[in-house]
Amino acid sequence: MSEKNDYYDTLGVAREADKATIKKAYRKQAMKFHPDRNPDNPEAESKFKQASEAAEVLLDDDKKRRYDQFGHAGVDGQQGGFGGGGFGGGDFGDLGDIFGDIFGGMGGRSRSRTRSRAQAGDDLQMTMRVSFEEAVFGAEKNIEITRNILCDGCHGSGAEDGSKPSTCDTCGGSGQIRRQQGFFTMASTCPRCQGSGQIVSNPCRKCNGKGLKKKKVELEVKIPAGIDRGQRLKLSGEGDSGTFGGPSGDLYIVADVQDHDYFEREGYDIYCTIPVSFSQAALGAEIEVPTVSGKVTVTLPQGTQAGKKMRLRGKGIQQLGGYGQGDQILNIHVETPTKLCKEQRELLVELEKYDGESGCHPMGKKFFDKFKDLFQ
């Protein structure tokens, strides 16, 4: 059998250390080497057990006295250790804090052995169709949802009118079952009352003892200007009702913004493709274009090329919260005629005679000059 480490060395404290110092040292070791923080690590588990054994002895006045006088021989077989019989009668109330840090509240001695029966209601979520214009300008819409509300027959208790729930005899009303494992306590939800702490012997006929019943309700929703597809609105307290005095859940509404026939959205900017004729693009023109707030007139410069973009400042979407507004971007599409009358065809044929001589197509001339040089 290998020789045991000195308990003081294990915890890294001096022999004259007081209980507060020993507890602090043990807390540090437990937090560092606990198996839940070091899964599948035998070395960490071994160090955790050694620290637990050392703390069990050094925090018990009688065991510490015998250990100081006789060493390990004075306490062999007396300590519970990890998974053993516990810390005996020593002063170990504060050790529960160590496991509260590790397990988030589940420790050696729970600070509160009672469980509140109040339970918050569930959150709900629904998708709402929003038109493009409603998303741009904001709107108020009425929606209908089905949610759980307190039963009007039992007022949420689950018991038939004239009766009342009884305290669960399995958990004593705490809603939890506690089991001792070594020097700390494991807590789990009571299987009999499902954590409520009470048993309903005579369930309400209106809700079958659930304390809640479903009801359709109509709500008014304010859609903020600038909302985009997939963004959520939160209606606090409009989810399922809580039970035993617990708060209601929230309702989350996901905006499903619909496409528009002419406009496309990119952030807070609006894009719109504007078809113009060849003559308008060549000669320039004043044209009316649509925006989300109505028609506006824009000037098309002479010689406008296909694909040109024109920006209309402040004609886009208001940003959420009202801080600024996007723009509208016009994509100019020069449309080539597909059906020509005799007169149009004759004019275009005549025009083509001058195309090569007039220098009115500098981009085309530059391209084909380079193309010729490529194959010389």
Side-chain angles (χ1 to χ4, degrees), residues 101-318:
D101 290 338
I102 297 173
F103 297 112
M106 181 178 69
R109 289 189 180 180
S110 174
R111 294 181 178 180
S112 173
R113 291 183 178 272
T114 60
R115 171 188 173 126
S116 172
R117 295 176 60 221
Q119 295 185 8
D122 290 335
D123 293 336
L124 302 178
Q125 180 171 295
M126 65 168 292
T127 299
M128 179 174 63
R129 289 170 63 93
V130 179
S131 71
F132 191 90
E133 288 82 359
E134 288 171 336
V136 172
F137 298 109
E140 292 186 359
K141 302 186 72 169
N142 291 326
I143 60 171
E144 187 176 76
I145 65 167
T146 300
R147 66 183 183 188
N148 287 322
I149 64 169
L150 289 179
C151 173
D152 55 4
C154 64
H155 306 290
S157 71
E160 184 64 27
D161 191 23
S163 66
K164 61 181 182 179
S166 59
T167 300
C168 176
D169 54 7
T170 300
C171 64
S174 70
Q176 293 183 330
I177 300 296
R178 297 179 177 275
R179 297 180 177 86
Q180 191 73 25
Q181 182 177 347
F183 54 84
F184 61 95
T185 301
M186 305 292 290
S188 60
T189 301
C190 176
R192 177 163 167 74
C193 67
Q194 301 301 314
S196 70
Q198 295 192 338
I199 299 297
V200 178
S201 302
N202 186 17
C204 172
R205 287 172 292 180
K206 286 189 174 182
C207 65
N208 295 321
K210 296 179 180 179
L212 299 169
K213 66 177 185 179
K214 292 191 178 297
K215 182 180 180 180
K216 287 185 177 180
V217 295
E218 189 173 280
L219 300 172
E220 185 179 87
V221 181
K222 292 185 178 181
I223 303 170
I227 194 170
D228 203 353
R229 180 177 296 166
Q231 292 181 331
R232 298 197 307 176
L233 301 176
K234 177 182 177 180
L235 275 64
S236 298
E238 298 295 352
D240 284 345
S241 294
T243 55
F244 305 111
S248 296
D250 300 324
L251 173 63
Y252 291 91
I253 299 177
V254 181
D256 180 21
V257 180
Q258 303 299 293
D259 292 332
H260 194 275
D261 291 339
Y262 304 111
F263 303 124
E264 291 184 7
R265 175 174 180 169
E266 189 171 309
Y268 292 106
D269 291 336
I270 294 175
Y271 285 77
C272 181
T273 298
I274 306 297
V276 298
S277 68
F278 168 76
S279 58
Q280 287 175 317
L283 300 174
E286 287 191 349
I287 58 174
E288 281 191 339
V289 298
T291 71
V292 290
S293 54
K295 294 180 180 179
V296 298
T297 299
V298 298
T299 300
L300 202 64
Q302 178 179 328
T304 295
Q305 301 298 309
K308 178 181 175 61
K309 288 180 170 53
M310 302 178 68
R311 183 179 296 269
L312 305 180
R313 300 286 182 184
K315 293 296 183 180
I317 299 172
Q318 177 181 310

Side-chain angles (χ1 to χ4, degrees), residues 3-19:
E3 184 179 349
K4 289 187 177 181
N5 293 330
D6 180 83
Y7 288 149
Y8 292 99
D9 290 342
T10 297
L11 295 180
V13 297
R15 299 187 74 83
E16 61 273 13
D18 58 15
K19 283 189 177 181

